[in-house]
Amino acid sequence: MWPARRVVGETFLSLALALSGAGAELLDDESAGVAVGIGLLAGLLSLLRRGLPATVLLAAAAGSAPFSGFAPLLLVVAWSAGRRIDGLGRACGVFALAYGLALGLTAAWESHASLPLLAIAGMFILVAIVVPGLAGRYWSQRRALTDTLHEYNAQLLRERAMIVGQARMLERQRIAQDMHDSLGHQLALIAVHTGALEVDRELTGQQREAVGVLREASVAAMHELRDVVGVLRDGADANSPAGAPQGGDDPGAPSRGVAGIDDLAETSRKAGTAVEIRRSGEVRPLATTADHAAYRVVQEGLTNAHKHAPGASISIGLRYEPDSLVVEVANGPVAEPMPSGVASGGQGLTGLAERARLVGGMVHAGPTADGGFRLAGVLPYTSPGDARKTFVAPQDDFRAQSPAGPGGEAGPVIEWNGLPKELARAVNRTKRGNGIAIGCGVAALIGVVLVIAVVVGVVLLVREADKTMIEPAQYEAVKIGQSERSVRDALPHGDSFMNTGPGAGAPPEPDGSTCLTLLSSEIGSSLDADPVFRFCFKDGKLIEKKSFEAT
């Protein structure tokens, strides 16, 4: 079924061809009935040209000889046939048959026409049939090749995305296994030993409290390690619904979202650090990934404060803005300078910034006016898929690796050297077919131009010869004593580039006379001699006429 736009377009085209065909027949003084019939037939053939391209082309070519109303239709159906006739050989055969049919019927219909007129008509028929057909065929092959390349490009991108995804999954599984085997074992040993040390009777109350903090920290670290391993293995963190527990199946596991920030603060207080939490605004739920990112911002801020500013007071701020949650962790100035041997991985803030970017937020870190340090994160309430309400658009890592296209922008990846054999053969066949078709078209056009040039040259020569050449009978009809005016009116004026004068061997002209020299239509006695007629006038009368051969 045709779409509505094509139905409207085909209707208007059929009406235009029908009206043009009827109008052309009326201009040729045909009757109204014939004009209406030709118009209706042209409109009907236009509707059939998609399903029967070869048949409609032959019918239009045959009808264009006796009826000029089929001329506009012939251009349209030639274009359509060039697009829709399969196979180069079949297309060449159909177009050759159409041209022969149109030229033969034109010669039979215009039997009284001279050979030059038939040659010119043949050139026009050739241009009317071949040029639209070549243009339609080139457009069709180019579109088919472009569609094939687009399909192959889409398949290539899908395959590369699958390869990248599989490689990422394997690497994540390897990292998860290494973390589980190494860190899990070490954290389990720390938890066991601190648990045993906590019940040692020789410890004081303050020491036992410090050991309890270590044990809780090790247990929390084990839970976090299990969460990270789960995320690396199957992405459970990204797929879990908002508000779902982040600690796995253990109901006693700490929360890894905004709800777990109080536990982080309490753990720091047990370590002897003053921690204050300030909340403002109406509490709103966050997406799971953003909720986890807020927890990590506070965790990283507390870790950095304990590491680089021990003993300094820490303030945690949670501001619920209309479009985002602002999380701040700020510590006061350091009381004593820290020794240079404090270990720092240097990747915490970088990883935190990337985590925030992936959820459409941002992170800022820097010193405060009083000499302390501040870490802040802006996290949107919406998911990163809603680009209108996020602050930083998440990028597609795979697309970012695509090489720049012709315009300098990253575009789809097309490796021409890696085309599959089927597509390479299709491209080569299309190139050869286009080359043959274009070569034939160029040769035909050159032939048309040459033939038209020869015909025009012959016509010009005939016209120039009429200006300077007369028959012997015309020469005999002129009598001496006639008035100069009557003689000149009866003869050509002789103003032509072909009339070079009497030439060598001409007899002398009478004194005081004015002569008109014309060529004879007869052939001279030799290749170097031309028969010439000369008429000399004096006092308004013809006083002499001579016939001679001149070189």
Side-chain angles (χ1 to χ4, degrees):
M1 297 297 293
W2 285 357
R5 187 172 65 176
R6 177 174 292 181
V7 171
V8 174
E10 289 292 328
T11 302
F12 276 105
L13 180 60
S14 299
L15 290 176
L17 292 176
L19 292 176
S20 62
E25 292 301 321
L26 291 176
L27 291 177
D28 284 346
D29 297 330
E30 293 287 349
S31 63
V34 174
V36 171
I38 295 299
L40 293 177
L41 185 57
L44 178 61
L45 290 176
S46 173
L47 295 175
L48 297 176
R49 76 183 192 283
R50 291 178 177 269
L52 303 171
T55 304
V56 173
L57 176 61
L58 294 176
S64 63
F67 302 107
S68 59
F70 282 105
L73 175 67
L74 184 60
L75 297 174
V76 176
V77 298
W79 159 272
S80 182
R83 288 182 54 191
R84 291 176 173 81
I85 296 179
D86 297 329
L88 181 60
R90 184 169 180 267
C92 290
V94 171
F95 275 87
L97 181 59
Y99 175 73
L101 187 62
L103 183 59
L105 291 178
T106 300
W109 191 265
E110 304 289 344
S111 58
H112 59 282
S114 61
L115 184 59
L117 291 178
L118 288 178
I120 295 175
M123 297 304 104
F124 279 109
I125 294 173
L126 182 63
V127 171
I129 293 179
V130 174
V131 172
L134 285 175
R137 188 161 191 83
Y138 173 76
W139 185 87
S140 176
Q141 291 179 345
R142 182 178 180 276
R143 182 175 180 179
L145 179 59
T146 303
D147 292 343
T148 304
L149 288 176
H150 284 168
E151 292 177 1
Y152 172 69
N153 185 41
Q155 179 183 357
L156 179 63
L157 291 177
R158 288 193 299 269
E159 291 177 355
R160 287 191 174 184
M162 293 173 61
I163 294 174
V164 171
Q166 185 178 13
R168 287 176 176 173
M169 182 182 64
L170 293 176
E171 184 64 17
R172 288 168 62 170
Q173 290 180 350
R174 185 190 65 79
I175 295 174
Q177 188 66 36
D178 291 344
M179 292 176 64
H180 179 272
D181 293 343
S182 57
L183 295 179
H185 175 69
Q186 299 298 332
L187 290 175
L189 289 178
I190 293 174
V192 170
H193 285 289
T194 53
L197 187 61
E198 187 178 10
V199 297
D200 192 348
R201 297 179 180 180
E202 297 182 1
L203 294 180
T204 63
Q206 184 177 4
Q207 292 174 336
R208 185 174 289 104
E209 183 179 355
V211 172
V213 171
L214 291 177
R215 183 184 61 79
E216 291 178 1
S218 63
V219 173
M222 291 181 63
H223 285 298
E224 292 188 9
L225 177 62
R226 185 175 62 180
D227 291 342
V228 172
V229 170
V231 170
L232 287 175
R233 282 179 173 172
D234 55 9
D237 180 72
N239 297 327
S240 61
Q246 301 291 324
D249 299 332
D250 187 358
S255 173
R256 297 294 178 265
V258 176
I261 293 178
D262 290 330
D263 295 335
L264 290 175
E266 183 63 26
T267 302
S268 296
R269 294 190 188 102
K270 291 181 179 180
T273 303
V275 179
E276 178 187 5
I277 300 179
R278 298 191 301 271
R279 291 181 172 87
S280 62
E282 182 181 356
V283 178
R284 294 179 57 179
L286 280 80
T288 304
T289 51
D291 194 39
H292 200 175
Y295 178 86
R296 293 304 182 189
V297 169
V298 176
Q299 188 181 47
E300 181 68 19
L302 293 175
T303 301
N304 289 338
H306 291 308
K307 185 185 300 183
H308 300 288
S313 60
I314 302 175
S315 63
I316 302 174
L318 299 175
R319 298 203 317 268
Y320 289 90
E321 301 291 346
D323 56 353
S324 62
L325 170 65
V326 179
V327 183
E328 296 179 334
V329 180
N331 60 269
V334 183
E336 297 181 359
M338 288 294 299
S340 58
V342 177
S344 177
Q347 300 297 323
L349 293 179
T350 302
L352 193 63
E354 178 65 14
R355 181 188 292 271
R357 185 190 67 80
L358 291 177
V359 300
M362 62 181 71
V363 169
H364 171 74
T368 59
D370 60 354
F373 194 83
R374 174 176 174 268
L375 174 64
V378 181
L379 306 172
Y381 299 124
T382 58
S383 62
D386 191 353
R388 296 172 299 175
K389 297 182 180 180
T390 56
F391 303 98
V392 178
Q395 301 175 357
D396 189 334
D397 297 335
F398 174 68
R399 292 278 183 176
Q401 300 176 23
S402 301
E409 300 179 355
V413 180
I414 299 179
E415 294 184 355
W416 296 94
N417 295 329
L419 294 176
K421 294 181 179 180
E422 295 79 4
L423 183 56
R425 285 196 295 267
V427 171
N428 292 333
R429 286 196 301 267
T430 303
K431 288 182 177 179
R432 287 196 300 269
N434 286 339
I436 294 173
I438 294 175
C440 293
V442 171
L445 291 179
I446 292 175
V448 168
V449 172
L450 291 177
V451 171
I452 292 177
V454 171
V455 172
V456 171
V458 170
V459 172
L460 291 177
L461 288 176
V462 171
R463 293 180 61 184
E464 293 298 319
D466 290 338
K467 296 178 183 179
T468 186
M469 187 176 295
I470 62 174
E471 298 288 339
Q474 293 177 273
Y475 171 78
E476 296 295 338
V478 176
K479 304 299 181 180
I480 295 177
Q482 287 183 253
S483 64
E484 181 178 358
R485 181 179 182 84
S486 62
V487 173
R488 288 188 180 276
D489 290 341
L491 298 176
H493 54 74
D495 295 332
S496 172
F497 68 91
M498 297 180 63
N499 191 357
T500 59
E509 297 180 357
D511 295 335
S513 63
T514 302
C515 297
L516 172 62
T517 302
L518 300 174
L519 299 177
S520 174
S521 60
E522 293 181 331
I523 300 175
S525 59
S526 66
L527 295 177
D528 295 332
D530 292 327
V532 178
F533 299 128
R534 189 178 70 184
F535 304 88
C536 296
F537 306 94
K538 186 177 181 181
D539 298 332
K541 292 183 179 182
L542 178 65
I543 62 173
E544 180 189 70
K545 70 173 186 177
K546 283 189 177 292
S547 174
F548 57 88
E549 288 188 348
T551 303

